[in-house]
Amino acid sequence: MPNPSTHRAAGSGIPAANAPDWRPWSDAWTRHIPVLTGRHDLTVTVALGAGGGAPACFYPDARRIEVDATHIGAPDITNPHKAGHKRLVPTAYGLLVHEAAHATHSLWTTPPGTPPVVA
């Protein structure tokens, strides 16, 4: 398990490397995220290595969720625009749901200078 401070990093606001093969996943999950969060200001980036060193991560300041595509396998394993895709990539979808929960419930902003163990 990654260090909690890595998993909850504020992020730079710079999305993971552009990954055209994973673009349909990013687009589909960005369209889906309001269903999970009730928020319409979030984007989802799916790419190999996304997540800031964790399997997935929510960057509150950037209003972005990243999911490491490693947990999907290959971009053509299924069509992410169809509802049934979730059963074929349960780990990745679980990561998305987990980060959606952060986006929905993590409303507190860590004050500057807060020690990472407290934050």
Side-chain angles (χ1 to χ4, degrees), residues 8 22 54:
R8 293 184 38 82
W22 292 101

Side-chain angles (χ1 to χ4, degrees), residues 1 3 7 21 40-41 49 56 59 69 74 78 85 88-89 117-119:
M1 175 160 194
N3 181 310
H7 177 69
D21 290 347
H40 296 273
D41 63 333
Y59 295 100
T78 185
H85 83 279
L88 297 175
V89 293
V117 71
V118 175

Side-chain angles (χ1 to χ4, degrees), residues 48-103:
L48 293 172
C57 195
F58 169 53
Y59 295 100
D61 295 340
R63 296 183 314 275
R64 186 179 68 252
I65 292 171
E66 291 188 4
V67 178
D68 186 343
T70 302
H71 300 283
I72 294 172
D76 60 352
I77 192 168
T78 185
N79 182 345
H81 296 284
K82 294 186 177 182
H85 83 279
K86 297 173 219 151
R87 67 180 168 73
L88 297 175
V89 293
T91 300
Y93 189 71
L95 293 168
L96 177 68
V97 170
H98 175 92
E99 298 308 325
H102 282 300

